[in-house]
Amino acid sequence: MATEPEPPGPVRRTPPAQATRSIAAANPLRTTPGLTAGRIVPPVGRGLPTRTGDSTPDWLEPAMAANGIGSFDWDIRRDVLEGDQRACAILGLDSETFDRSSASFLAMLHPDDAPVVRRRVERAVAELGQCGAYYRTVFPDGELHAVRFRGRVLADAFGRPSRMVGFVWDATVELHKRERADELAALREDRSRFIKEAARALSEAVTVRDVARVFTELPLPGLPPDGLALASLEAGRTSVLGASGYTHGLMDRFDRAPLPPGHPAAEAIRGRAPVFISSREDYRARYPEAWAWADESGRSAWAFLPLIASGRPIGVCVVSFDEDRELDTDERTLLSTLGGLVAQSLARARLHDAEHELAAGLQRVMLPRTVPAVPGVTTAVRYLAAGSGLQIGGDWYDVVPLPGGHVGLVIGDVQGHDVHAAGIMGQLRIALRAYAAEGHPPAAVMARASRFLADLDTDHFATCTYAEVNVDYGVVYAVRAGHLDPVVRRGDGSSHVVPVAGGLPLGIAPDEEYRVTRFSLDPGETVVLCTDGLVEARGMDLDTGFARLCDVVSGYLPALGESAQDPLDELADRIASQAADSSEREDDIALLLLRWDGPAGGRAAQQLRRRIGQADLARIAELRGELRDALRRWGVPQLIDTAELLSSELVTNAIRHTDRDAMFTARLYHEADGGGARARLRVEVEDESDLWPTRRTPGEQASSGRGLMLVEALADGWGVEPRGSGKRMWFELSAESAESAEDEG
């Protein structure tokens, strides 16, 4: 706190005879020649010149008294400090306890100021010059005062320092001014820091709820409020977004209520300027119509801040205090600045919420609202929006009931992450669902979907995996178009990726032919289909992502009945929770799980139904494989060879001699036969042609015409039946049932 001395003025020493009290000053003479063992050694030779009479002129004393200036005289050799009554009063000295030494004087100074005063006095003594300082001193009652002094060192006849004489005056008022200035500077710094922190916090607030939370938690520096409220304005009504310091009942009455014109908030919005109210009397006098609400709030001072964004009022902030408060200019400026920050943040958050709601609504429309229930299987789906952007994209899932009680699973991702991609996804999902529901085989469904996307001419492509699940006996026929392989969780809890033959993404090559991969499930096993957002992210490659997914899928799952929800839902929740955090995830995620529960009662439904495309001859080979598996599961393997041959003949005949698709159906019936039971297999092939088959007798060199002859020779019975449009050809085979054979064994 010490400052450089100002230029010295005329100094007159007060004679010791006029000093009534002693004051302390720094003693620099520990390094002054002539001092021994801390004692003052009187100089040898002539003494100091002395004055006679009153050394203070008559005109100087009134001036010093009027300005509160005291004088001091410090005998450097004897280390004795003396001063007049004003000096003692300024320094708060007690003549009974003060021993007039420099050490006692320094002990009274503020610890931060004493070293500075000591150094300056020592320098003045060493240089026979002058010094001055501003320092703080503590009075006996503990009160802090400030003092300024100026002094000059006088030399004796030998040029050695002898005395220091000078003036001292009270600077406590200056101290208070400095303290107040320091407080104001600190307060301004706190307010500047508060504005920066508030701007940062509000800029990070994404939703309207975030803005309300940040506002109601703001610690206003220098004027801590007792109540904060944030309300938006919509169609002349206020909607409370957040509040602190108010009861819920009071806010509920204010929420969704029209804003009366006589309310201070209405005036702030109309005038687009803050309204400050310093007391309850001021409020009642200025706004009598709105006094009831203010009276119930229990507050005594208010600030109503209009929220103006792009020149349009969007809401109001209310800052209230329990005590009367007249806000100064700086406080009003702070609140006005805060209102501007909140307005901009709220406008941005409202736009974000509107865009998010639009995106969410569009996504809900594009994705199936519910997943159909299919007997024999359990499904679970999840969709996680991307952590940034519009939170809408081209990922989708679908579950399609198929003819014959089977089910189709679809998971896909259209290129891009915007509304355009979502629109294409919606069209593609509907088209693919229609193709699958018509009964087309998986390869044909995928090929037709690719041609459909190419015909849209959108310059977008899509990846997709389509799997048809035979609910009767748990066989999966999967087709992949540039998408991810499925993951299967086995009955023992292990999981692995099932390689599926892949083709180009949809829309790239319209004539692409897709290959089908067949794998089977046991009861209780689960197929997991997902989009790449689940297994790919920054810092995580595809292999690592699949390894993490398999670890999650392989975790423990409770058995049915052990948990409040189905274990499949728990698995879906666990997979979704392990996905990258929304703030880091750059892509949305679609997740589809299907568990094959197995046949009801432990016995598979003994029916196989398939549609065969008119130009899809490869489907006939697939049908033969399915029929073999079905008959083996149904316990009549002795019928496999004959049923496979005759079914091929009927299906080929329908495809070759018509221009429409054929529907193949195989059913196994169990009939009582005396003391045992026999199994009867009935195979039907339906087409839409009215041309009936004709039995011929081909020659030895003929290449056709033997189909019906084989049917007639090998089948226990066969025939042709008319339908509304087209016909139905059928044959039956009989065999001893597996149950009867076991009984006889």
Side-chain angles (χ1 to χ4, degrees), residues 26 219 313 327 403 412 420 432 482 522 528 638 670 736:
L327 300 177
H420 192 197
L432 196 148
D522 289 331
V528 179
Q638 63 271 36
H670 296 273
E736 185 178 6

Side-chain angles (χ1 to χ4, degrees), residues 214-232:
V214 170
F215 172 74
T216 54
E217 295 177 357
L218 288 176
L220 294 175
L223 63 162
D226 299 295
L228 288 170
L230 175 64
S232 64

Side-chain angles (χ1 to χ4, degrees), residues 344-379:
Q344 297 301 320
S345 181
L346 181 60
R348 184 178 61 253
R350 290 175 63 176
L351 179 60
H352 171 274
D353 286 354
E355 291 178 346
H356 183 271
E357 182 61 27
L358 174 62
L362 181 59
Q363 195 75 53
R364 286 193 297 267
V365 171
M366 295 300 180
L367 294 175
R369 297 186 60 181
T370 58
V371 176
V374 178
V377 298
T378 303
T379 56

Side-chain angles (χ1 to χ4, degrees), residues 363 365-368 381-383 393-400 409-415 421-422 424-433 446 449 453 461-466 481 483 506 529-532 587-592:
Q363 195 75 53
V365 171
M366 295 300 180
L367 294 175
V381 295
R382 297 291 185 273
Y383 179 83
D395 290 27
W396 89 95
Y397 57 81
D398 206 352
V399 177
V400 186
L409 307 179
V410 185
I411 195 82
D413 185 4
V414 176
Q415 171 200 10
I424 296 173
M425 176 268 287
Q427 298 179 71
L428 183 59
R429 183 184 78 84
I430 294 173
L432 196 148
R433 182 182 182 89
M446 198 69 83
L453 182 56
F461 64 85
T463 64
C464 181
T465 294
Y466 174 68
H483 202 72
L506 305 179
L529 301 175
C530 66
T531 54
D532 55 0
D587 197 4
D588 44 355
I589 295 174
L591 179 65
L592 171 59

Side-chain angles (χ1 to χ4, degrees), residues 201-321:
L202 290 171
S203 67
E204 295 175 355
V206 178
T207 65
V208 171
R209 179 176 297 181
D210 294 338
V211 174
R213 176 185 53 80
V214 170
F215 172 74
T216 54
E217 295 177 357
L218 288 176
L220 294 175
L223 63 162
D226 299 295
L228 288 170
L230 175 64
S232 64
L233 185 64
E234 299 175 1
R237 291 177 176 268
T238 56
S239 176
V240 176
L241 305 177
S244 64
Y246 290 100
T247 63
H248 291 291
L250 187 63
M251 288 295 98
D252 289 343
R253 286 195 297 275
F254 192 68
D255 190 22
R256 302 294 179 184
L259 190 60
H263 197 281
E267 179 181 334
I269 292 174
R270 283 196 306 270
R272 302 191 179 185
V275 172
F276 300 100
I277 305 173
S278 59
S279 65
R280 295 171 65 86
E281 292 74 15
D282 186 17
Y283 195 116
R284 185 166 48 242
R286 294 168 59 184
Y287 308 100
E289 298 178 4
W291 170 243
W293 178 86
D295 186 29
E296 185 177 356
S297 70
R299 301 288 186 257
S300 298
W302 296 263
F304 293 88
L305 311 175
L307 305 180
I308 310 298
S310 302
R312 185 173 61 88
I314 61 173
V316 64
C317 295
V318 181
V319 182
S320 60
F321 307 91

